[in-house]
Amino acid sequence: MTKVTSNRRGVQVEDTKICVVMVGLPARGKSYIAQKAQRYLQWLSIEARTFNVGNYRRNDAPQPNAEFFAANNPDGERMRKAAAEAAVADMMGWFRTGGVIGILDATNSTKTRRRWVEDILTREGIETLYVESKCDDEDLIMANIRDVKTTSPDYRGQDPEKAAQDFRNRIRNYEKVYQSVDADGDEGDLTYLKLMDVGKQVIINRIKDYLQSRVVYYLMNLHIRPRSVWLSRHGESTYNLDGRIGGDSLLSPRGEMYAKKLPELVAKSVGDGRPLTVWTSTLRRTIATARHLPATYNQLQWKALDELDSGVCDGYTYQGIKDKYPEDFAARDEDKYNYRYRGGESYRDVVIRLEPIIMELERSEDILIVTHQAVLRCIYAYFMKKDQAKSPWMNVPLHTLIKLTPRAYGTDEERFEANIPAVSTWRGKGSTAKHEDPIPDVLR
Ligand code: ATP
Ligand code: F6P
């Protein structure tokens, strides 16, 4: 049974354990989907881990050719089964030590293999969610092969063109035995999500609970069209100058200069002049920062992008907080991610309220977000897989535009500095300095 509770750490789903079993022919984006799901869940502090059967298989067969994957190759068959067994055994061990969502990343392309996995999971009370990626677009598949397969450890040191041909033959061997989930109508009891042509069409069957539906909804929103996300803090504010937190202050004269420079900085980083959609918070300093951007850019204000609510400490300097609430000041330094201001929020709370923003970002193309220090840290942590305990300490300088470009297995980052001086609002552990220079190991 699933129990959903809300406590000071936010919403938690207890008791449910799910194995997401990926299904599909090679080069259909299964590993891509698995790593995105893992990153999203870990960002939400849900214990999630991917078990990639290919990595286990490489122990015995590091560089197999297409023949290894032929259905009539008994040695290949044996080694592939052994790799699946080792991955599943490790995953079950991980579930026993508190894992919540395990992702079994393999082709799982036959009914027999799926029943075998299902039986093991059911015996241990773990729910199974099959996620199948189907795609017959030959150009996209060849692009996927060239993009990620020819550089895989399976083909290290080999000619990329020969590697691509061999990989195409490997797929042909899988095609001979591949059975799409419930294609014959005898797997209707399974819980599954089928993504056809990168989510153009979606089939959902027997989703059981809240956690499953969250994973399904997230995966339905993914796309692979090229795009970037731009992140900027607002220009320097009068509160920043005073070393005060929170509030709804306006921009300092240097903050105004940044607002005027932002359109040029954006144009330089976009390159081809395509229009962006701009999201700001509802606070005056972000709206003022975005106000000189071209009128052709759609602008939207999100309450969810407002700065972390510092409750009774709003408007205080860090020294003021230490004087008035010394225990709170120490508690925040002790566990900055979980510390919730009296009457306000923690970083963990901010992550939870940002979930709709992340969903919308996944669905969208080019977006520029003008927001605040804490919120930007949380969004950055999602894209760059930053440890939640460390992300609240990250330095995010004012007057700097960050461009993030998602790639197949990671995110590229570029920074564009406006070269307009601003105070540093970064604060090291224990410090109450009004403005402090960050130490080198937290520059990112
Ligand atoms: P294998 O079975 O060899 O491990 P795979 O199915 O795990 O293959 P990936 O390694 O994830 O394939 O392939 C990554 C490529 O797939 C990326 O280039 C990515 O853009 C693309 N991709 C992501 N999602 C999809 C999708 N739903 N359909 C087709 N391609 C996708
Ligand atoms: O100082 C600027 C600011 O955006 C404050 O409004 C906010 O409380 C603070 O940064 C968040 O940063 P930290 O979590 O490091 O205190």
Side-chain angles (χ1 to χ4, degrees), residues 275-280 290 293-302 366-369:
L276 307 182
T277 299
V278 183
W279 295 351
T280 66
L293 289 162
T296 47
Y297 290 12
N298 278 335
Q299 291 208 16
L300 198 68
Q301 293 169 17
W302 290 79
D366 293 331
I367 305 280
L368 162 61
I369 304 180

Side-chain angles (χ1 to χ4, degrees), residues 242-311:
D242 297 345
R244 290 174 201 256
I245 67 166
D248 191 13
S249 60
L250 277 168
L251 301 181
S252 72
R254 296 189 302 198
E256 285 292 350
M257 282 165 67
Y258 179 68
K260 291 212 178 81
K261 182 95 185 266
L262 188 58
E264 181 192 321
L265 221 52
V266 170
K268 194 167 107 194
S269 77
V270 174
D272 60 6
R274 62 187 191 271
L276 307 182
T277 299
V278 183
W279 295 351
T280 66
S281 74
T282 62
L283 297 171
R284 295 190 298 175
R285 55 196 185 275
T286 63
I287 297 167
T289 305
R291 77 184 190 285
H292 301 296
L293 289 162
T296 47
Y297 290 12
N298 278 335
Q299 291 208 16
L300 198 68
Q301 293 169 17
W302 290 79
K303 181 97 179 97
L305 290 173
D306 285 1
E307 181 54 309
L308 182 146
D309 180 353
S310 40

Side-chain angles (χ1 to χ4, degrees), residues 261-399:
K261 182 95 185 266
L262 188 58
E264 181 192 321
L265 221 52
V266 170
K268 194 167 107 194
S269 77
V270 174
D272 60 6
R274 62 187 191 271
L276 307 182
T277 299
V278 183
W279 295 351
T280 66
S281 74
T282 62
L283 297 171
R284 295 190 298 175
R285 55 196 185 275
T286 63
I287 297 167
T289 305
R291 77 184 190 285
H292 301 296
L293 289 162
T296 47
Y297 290 12
N298 278 335
Q299 291 208 16
L300 198 68
Q301 293 169 17
W302 290 79
K303 181 97 179 97
L305 290 173
D306 285 1
E307 181 54 309
L308 182 146
D309 180 353
S310 40
V312 296
C313 294
D314 191 81
Y316 279 62
T317 60
Y318 290 118
Q319 182 63 54
I321 299 173
K322 190 174 183 193
D323 294 343
K324 181 103 192 257
Y325 303 104
E327 283 166 14
D328 286 71
F329 187 81
R332 188 162 199 256
D333 271 1
E334 193 54 38
D335 184 358
K336 196 173 176 190
Y337 186 70
N338 288 304
Y339 170 81
R340 178 182 285 157
Y341 278 109
R342 295 170 190 231
E345 290 178 304
S346 64
Y347 271 84
R348 184 181 288 271
D349 293 332
V350 173
V351 161
I352 288 164
R353 81 158 134 95
L354 283 174
E355 201 188 353
I357 296 278
I358 294 299
M359 285 298 178
E360 204 50 35
L361 271 178
E362 286 297 352
R363 295 160 57 83
S364 311
E365 292 182 8
D366 293 331
I367 305 280
L368 162 61
I369 304 180
V370 184
T371 182
H372 306 265
Q373 177 161 259
V375 172
L376 200 150
R377 283 175 177 148
C378 296
I379 298 174
Y380 183 92
Y382 169 77
F383 282 103
M384 304 307 284
K385 274 203 215 167
K386 289 283 164 201
D387 182 342
Q388 300 289 40
K390 292 195 187 128
S391 61
W393 297 102
M394 207 181 85
N395 176 39
V396 194
L398 287 162
H399 301 177

Side-chain angles (χ1 to χ4, degrees), residues 66 196 227 338 362 420 422:
M196 265 90 87
R227 54 85 170 262
N338 288 304
E362 286 297 352
I420 296 166

